[in-house]
Amino acid sequence: MSEKPKILFYCQHSLGMGHLVRSLALAESLSAKFRVILLNGGCLPKQIRVPFEIEIINLPPLGFDGENNLVSRDKRRTVERAQILRQKIILETYVKQKPEIILIELFPFGRKKFAYEIIPLVEAAHGKAKIICSLRDILVGQRRDQERFEERAVETANRFFNAILVHSDSGFARLEESFQYLESLRVPVFYTGFVTPKPQSTKKPKRAGRAKTIIVSAGGGLVGEHLLTVAVEAYALLPEKENIRMKIIGGLFLPGRAQVSLRELTKNQKNINLRKFVRNLRGEMNTADLSISQCGYNTTLDILQSGVPALIVPFGDGTREDEQTKRAQRLEKLGAWRVCEKLTAENLAEEIQKTLQFHPRKISLDMNGGKNSAKIIGNLLSKTATRKHSKQSWLSPVRDALEEKGETVKIFFRNDDAGIFNARLFKLMNLFEKFGLPLDIAVIPSEVSTALAEELILRLNSKPNLFAIHQHGLAHINHESEGRKCEFGKARNASQQFYDIAAGYQILEDFFGNLPRPIFTPPWNRCTKETGKSLNKLGFKVLSRESAAESLSIDGLEEIPVSVDWFAKRQGVPLSREEIGEVMSKAIRENNIVGIMLHHALMDETERCFLSELLELFSYCPAAECSPMWNLYQFGQKKRLVKTVG
């Protein structure tokens, strides 16, 4: 039996334990297919469970102090001495092990102060191993030199890296939301889903009649003293505290002085239990009535998987550290928990009482990040996906056009006629969700039912980065007595068109609130200049027809047309799949933005299989960047603004 391919996995945790815990969970999943050697750059507390399948090489530990200065965690060595030893160990390990994959956590999107040891590693491995970046769901986006930092990150990634793994559900958080220079990135980005540790033995659910239990935690604890202290003070203000037990989990990195202070603060509180560490936080949450915590990646997943009502106090310094705040606000909007905006004893006590009555909404997110990461890395290593798409097929000209383009092509999918054959609509949405690619849905207002609206709202709220809706005429009926079909043609005067568009807008607003985008797709992709003027008056920003249509040239109304019709015909005969591939390749060669028009009502299982092949290609190919239409509009406005100011 041949030896497993080797992964040299670099992980540097500097402030808390989040990066280490996620990396250990990911390494454990990868160990099923790979031999994983973990370079651990921070302290490794003895209480942390290390999977036996993983080989760990502990580097002289470095980290940050409260002022973001690099410090040695080993009192025997200075920072400078530790840096020299670390660089030597890293390079010697690479030479000795000759790994097929180098997996680096966060860099180049973070860990700038460790570039001195990471750059020599990737330079040595460049062209000899697959170099992959492992990222959490949301990046810090408020650095003082953010623009220059992102430019450097792109330069480094494009030069050395083969892929970027984002450990997020693509419908929850996408890289472009916290990294503005994504359009300059030539490295393929894969969304793996969230990485969670293997479940440990779970405690039995809490029995009715017992005192309520509140768990207060702050990850590793290095920056959690204020939250833990205020939680103890808030407990004293609870009106029924005799029937409430509070468990304070300080964290392995909670400073010694903070431990002493908390012990002193709780010594006369018989219903408050102070613990430094628990091995199974998710199990503790299963038995609790309320969790109070910050909003780190791993704690978030423990809360969501346990289903405990949660009150979140995200860590942040008001400027740079905005990652937890973004995550907290996003999940609060989805109904997963409540967020405490002001951390005082009085306010926290009030929020505790409210949250004890709160029922969290179950959020559906992809939690298979470890397994999916192993599959993606396996494909990159074996080039399975490349070989698969090298076969002569209807996709060959599409792939060739993308490879020859020399720059990224922005692609969007627009699906028309939502409101009819809705079962097929949801199957189409499932397909896009599978590949983590966005889909714009044109909805016929007069065909909207309560059942359709409820299902679409649920999907739009749970996957806001994948699905968006906009208006598709009013009733999708033909008003022309002769010639080509048209709902907004010459047969309707300006006032009639204005009334129809406004009526459709009102219907969508009544059913969906502010969810519809200010985009209008006319049925049959046809309309007149009067249509454009009405849209302008009503506040629409985008008109989407077909690329062959002559522009209406109306200020304030952007036109984003489709250039490929999935069900195109030539002289009344549907194009073959090979002919569609040729049309698509031509559009890619001639345009920087390519729109593909779908009609779910016409898509049977065979058509969905063909579409699945195309979506797989786009999800893998770095030259294809799939975007929602509204993002394309905003990107165009930003470019025009920059050009005007320049």
Side-chain angles (χ1 to χ4, degrees):
M1 184 176 180
S2 61
E3 185 180 356
K4 294 178 180 177
K6 295 178 187 176
I7 294 180
L8 186 59
F9 189 169
Y10 174 98
C11 170
Q12 173 64 52
H13 60 288
S14 303
L15 197 60
M17 294 191 305
H19 294 279
L20 175 63
V21 171
R22 181 174 61 254
S23 293
L24 287 172
L26 177 58
E28 186 172 19
S29 294
L30 295 175
S31 66
K33 293 185 177 181
F34 304 95
R35 178 185 165 194
V36 182
I37 303 159
L38 182 69
L39 292 168
N40 170 46
C43 293
L44 183 62
K46 62 182 179 180
Q47 297 92 335
I48 294 294
R49 184 184 75 88
V50 177
F52 70 90
E53 306 96 334
I54 301 170
E55 303 169 47
I56 289 193
I57 296 175
N58 289 312
L59 304 173
L62 292 175
F64 292 130
D65 62 15
E67 297 179 352
N68 205 37
N69 297 313
L70 202 59
V71 296
S72 174
R73 301 297 189 195
D74 185 344
K75 295 181 180 179
R76 297 172 299 175
R77 298 187 181 96
T78 63
V79 170
E80 293 75 17
R81 180 58 182 161
Q83 288 176 322
I84 293 170
L85 285 174
R86 285 166 64 102
Q87 188 172 359
K88 181 174 182 289
I89 293 170
I90 291 170
L91 290 176
E92 286 180 348
T93 302
Y94 168 72
V95 172
K96 178 182 178 181
Q97 298 295 342
K98 296 181 177 60
E100 288 88 344
I101 303 108
I102 304 291
L103 185 60
I104 301 178
E105 202 268 338
L106 194 56
F107 186 84
F109 301 92
R111 301 287 180 258
K112 181 175 69 173
K113 291 186 178 181
F114 294 88
Y116 72 91
E117 64 186 22
I118 299 175
I119 291 296
L121 172 62
V122 297
E123 284 179 336
H126 186 52
K128 303 180 183 71
K130 296 291 184 184
I131 304 174
I132 301 170
C133 172
S134 166
L135 287 183
R136 64 178 177 232
D137 56 340
I138 299 172
L139 302 179
V140 171
Q142 298 293 329
R143 293 178 175 84
R144 288 184 293 272
D145 61 341
Q146 185 68 26
E147 184 173 345
R148 179 59 190 140
F149 174 83
E150 293 196 3
E151 287 177 350
R152 286 195 300 263
V154 167
E155 290 169 4
T156 304
N158 287 342
R159 181 181 176 190
F160 294 112
F161 284 74
N162 298 101
I164 297 166
L165 305 185
V166 181
H167 302 305
S168 170
D169 185 314
S170 60
F172 174 74
R174 295 181 66 85
L175 183 56
E176 60 262 30
E177 295 172 335
S178 53
F179 189 79
Q180 300 302 312
Y181 275 68
L182 191 66
E183 65 267 18
S184 301
L185 199 64
R186 298 194 301 272
V187 183
V189 176
F190 299 92
Y191 293 89
T192 69
F194 288 94
V195 174
T196 61
K198 289 184 178 179
Q200 304 174 46
S201 57
T202 303
K203 293 188 176 183
K204 293 181 180 179
K206 175 183 168 65
R207 292 201 302 269
R210 289 189 177 181
K212 293 181 178 179
T213 301
I214 299 175
I215 291 180
V216 187
S217 62
L222 192 62
V223 291
E225 179 182 0
H226 184 48
L227 170 61
L228 304 179
T229 300
V230 174
V232 174
E233 295 170 348
Y235 176 82
L237 302 177
L238 296 176
E240 299 181 5
K241 57 180 177 293
E242 295 80 8
N243 296 319
I244 297 176
R245 297 181 183 277
M246 179 174 281
K247 182 179 290 187
I248 304 287
I249 303 170
L252 293 174
F253 298 150
L254 183 69
R257 57 170 179 74
Q259 296 180 40
V260 172
S261 175
L262 282 170
R263 278 199 297 270
E264 182 66 23
L265 196 61
T266 60
K267 66 180 181 181
N268 296 321
Q269 300 275 11
K270 65 177 182 178
N271 281 348
I272 298 182
N273 179 17
L274 183 59
R275 299 278 298 277
K276 184 175 182 179
F277 174 74
V278 293
R279 194 170 297 278
N280 183 6
L281 181 58
R282 192 187 311 170
E284 297 285 342
M285 289 179 176
N286 281 334
T287 69
D289 298 276
L290 172 63
S291 167
I292 301 174
S293 71
Q294 295 173 330
C295 195
Y297 183 97
N298 301 294
T299 302
T300 293
L301 299 181
D302 283 334
I303 292 170
L304 295 179
Q305 292 185 300
S306 70
V308 65
L311 182 59
I312 303 299
V313 186
F315 167 71
D317 59 9
T319 54
R320 290 185 64 254
E321 295 289 345
D322 58 350
E323 163 231 336
Q324 291 198 14
T325 299
K326 290 178 180 178
R327 188 182 295 118
Q329 292 173 345
R330 193 163 298 188
L331 282 163
E332 181 184 39
K333 187 176 180 180
L334 293 175
W337 55 35
R338 301 181 72 252
V339 174
C340 178
E341 301 287 352
K342 182 180 179 183
L343 186 56
T344 64
E346 294 77 10
N347 189 58
L348 187 61
E350 182 180 344
E351 292 295 328
I352 287 173
Q353 295 174 69
K354 292 178 181 177
T355 311
L356 284 169
Q357 307 301 318
F358 171 71
H359 298 286
R361 180 178 178 183
K362 186 174 178 59
I363 307 300
S364 177
L365 295 172
D366 185 352
M367 298 288 184
N368 296 310
K371 182 179 178 181
N372 294 337
S373 296
K375 182 178 179 181
I376 292 167
I377 293 174
N379 285 342
L380 289 170
L381 185 62
S382 65
K383 299 182 180 179
T384 300
T386 302
R387 288 200 302 269
K388 178 177 180 180
H389 290 301
S390 68
K391 296 182 291 186
Q392 291 301 313
S393 69
W394 75 277
L395 277 176
S396 294
V398 179
R399 187 193 64 254
D400 292 342
L402 288 169
E403 291 177 351
E404 296 165 10
K405 183 73 174 179
E407 59 182 321
T408 300
V409 180
K410 294 183 181 296
I411 296 168
F412 70 91
F413 287 87
R414 194 193 81 200
N415 175 68
D416 292 354
D417 300 348
I420 60 175
F421 293 93
N422 295 326
R424 289 192 172 188
L425 170 63
F426 298 136
K427 286 182 179 180
L428 181 65
M429 295 176 74
N430 291 341
L431 187 60
F432 276 80
E433 184 173 341
K434 174 184 175 182
F435 289 98
L437 297 179
L439 175 66
D440 283 281
I441 302 167
V443 180
I444 305 171
S446 65
E447 295 291 342
V448 178
S449 64
T450 300
L452 172 64
E454 289 177 350
E455 179 65 22
L456 279 178
I457 289 171
L458 183 64
R459 290 175 179 246
L460 292 169
N461 284 332
S462 64
K463 306 289 181 182
N465 298 310
L466 288 189
F467 303 123
I469 60 172
H470 65 269
Q471 186 172 339
H472 191 31
L474 171 60
H476 207 302
I477 58 176
N478 177 34
H479 291 294
E480 302 298 307
S481 57
E482 58 184 19
R484 297 190 299 176
K485 292 181 179 180
C486 193
E487 185 172 17
F488 294 88
K490 295 179 180 179
R492 305 289 281 175
N493 61 35
S495 61
Q496 289 171 324
Q497 292 202 31
F498 183 92
Y499 174 84
D500 286 353
I501 296 170
Y505 176 88
Q506 187 62 56
I507 291 172
L508 294 187
E509 186 177 56
D510 290 342
F511 275 105
F512 300 100
N514 63 355
L515 287 175
R517 297 295 192 188
I519 300 172
F520 187 85
T521 293
W524 296 287
N525 286 285
R526 301 177 192 126
C527 67
T528 66
K529 188 136 187 168
E530 296 300 332
T531 316
K533 293 177 180 178
S534 296
L535 293 171
N536 207 348
K537 291 178 183 177
L538 289 165
F540 285 84
K541 300 298 181 183
V542 177
L543 171 65
S544 183
R545 297 178 294 163
E546 59 186 5
S547 57
E550 184 178 348
S551 174
L552 299 183
S553 300
I554 295 177
D555 290 340
L557 187 65
E558 184 79 10
E559 298 198 38
I560 304 180
V562 293
S563 46
V564 180
D565 181 356
W566 187 264
F567 294 100
K569 297 179 180 180
R570 187 173 292 141
Q571 296 180 343
V573 179
L575 299 186
S576 67
R577 200 46 50 196
E578 288 72 20
E579 290 173 320
I580 290 294
E582 293 292 346
V583 171
M584 204 173 296
S585 67
K586 184 175 184 291
I588 290 169
R589 286 188 168 92
E590 296 178 353
N591 302 281
N592 292 324
I593 297 177
V594 175
I596 301 173
M597 178 174 61
L598 307 173
H599 287 83
H600 66 271
L602 303 177
M603 301 197 77
D604 56 17
E605 192 61 35
T606 300
E607 292 294 340
R608 284 193 293 271
C609 285
F610 280 123
L611 180 60
S612 179
E613 293 175 1
L614 179 65
L615 297 182
E616 184 176 2
L617 172 61
F618 285 168
S619 68
Y620 178 81
C621 180
E625 180 185 329
C626 294
S627 301
M629 293 172 67
W630 188 245
N631 285 20
L632 295 176
Y633 166 76
Q634 292 178 315
F635 179 73
Q637 295 298 304
K638 182 179 178 182
K639 284 182 67 176
R640 274 188 288 277
L641 179 61
V642 171
K643 185 176 180 180
T644 301
V645 173

Coordinates of all heavy atoms in Angstrom, one line a residue, residues 1-6 31-35 100 381:
M1 N 0.9 -1.2 0.0 CA 0.0 0.0 0.0 C 0.9 1.2 0.0 O 1.8 1.4 0.8 CB -0.9 0.0 1.2 CG -1.9 1.2 1.3 SD -3.0 1.0 2.7 CE -4.0 2.5 2.4
S2 N 0.6 2.2 -0.9 CA 1.5 3.4 -1.0 C 1.2 4.3 0.1 O 0.2 4.4 0.7 CB 1.2 4.1 -2.4 OG -0.2 4.5 -2.4
E3 N 2.3 5.1 0.5 CA 2.2 6.0 1.6 C 1.3 7.2 1.2 O 1.2 7.6 0.0 CB 3.6 6.5 1.9 CG 3.6 7.4 3.1 CD 5.0 7.9 3.4 OE1 6.0 7.5 2.7 OE2 5.2 8.7 4.4
K4 N 0.6 7.7 2.2 CA -0.3 8.9 1.9 C 0.5 10.1 1.5 O 1.6 10.3 2.0 CB -1.1 9.2 3.2 CG -2.1 8.1 3.7 CD -2.8 8.6 4.9 CE -3.8 7.6 5.4 NZ -4.4 8.0 6.7
P5 N 0.0 10.9 0.7 CA 0.7 12.2 0.4 C 0.8 13.0 1.7 O 0.0 13.0 2.6 CB -0.3 12.9 -0.6 CG -1.2 11.8 -1.1 CD -1.3 10.8 -0.1
K6 N 1.9 13.8 1.7 CA 2.2 14.6 2.9 C 1.7 16.0 2.8 O 1.8 16.7 1.8 CB 3.7 14.6 3.2 CG 4.3 13.3 3.5 CD 5.8 13.4 3.7 CE 6.5 12.1 3.9 NZ 8.0 12.2 3.9
S31 N -6.3 14.0 7.8 CA -5.5 12.8 8.1 C -6.1 11.5 7.5 O -5.4 10.5 7.4 CB -5.3 12.6 9.6 OG -6.5 12.3 10.3
A32 N -7.4 11.5 7.2 CA -8.0 10.3 6.5 C -7.4 10.0 5.2 O -7.3 8.9 4.8 CB -9.5 10.5 6.4
K33 N -6.9 11.1 4.5 CA -6.4 10.9 3.1 C -4.9 11.3 3.0 O -4.2 10.9 2.1 CB -7.2 11.7 2.1 CG -8.6 11.3 1.9 CD -9.2 12.1 0.8 CE -10.6 11.6 0.5 NZ -11.3 12.4 -0.6
F34 N -4.4 12.0 4.0 CA -3.1 12.6 4.0 C -2.3 12.3 5.3 O -2.9 12.1 6.3 CB -3.1 14.1 3.7 CG -3.9 14.5 2.5 CD1 -5.2 14.9 2.5 CD2 -3.2 14.5 1.2 CE1 -5.9 15.2 1.4 CE2 -3.9 14.8 0.1 CZ -5.3 15.2 0.2
R35 N -1.0 12.3 5.2 CA -0.1 12.3 6.4 C 0.1 13.8 6.7 O 0.7 14.5 5.9 CB 1.2 11.6 6.1 CG 2.1 11.6 7.3 CD 3.5 11.0 6.9 NE 4.5 11.4 7.9 CZ 5.8 11.2 7.7 NH1 6.2 10.7 6.6 NH2 6.6 11.5 8.7
E100 N 4.0 17.0 -0.5 CA 3.3 17.4 -1.7 C 2.5 18.6 -1.6 O 2.2 19.3 -2.6 CB 2.4 16.2 -2.2 CG 3.2 15.0 -2.7 CD 3.6 14.0 -1.6 OE1 3.5 14.4 -0.4 OE2 3.9 12.9 -1.9
L381 N -4.3 18.0 -6.0 CA -3.0 17.2 -6.1 C -3.0 16.3 -7.3 O -2.0 16.1 -8.0 CB -2.9 16.5 -4.8 CG -1.5 15.7 -4.6 CD1 -0.4 16.7 -4.6 CD2 -1.6 14.9 -3.3

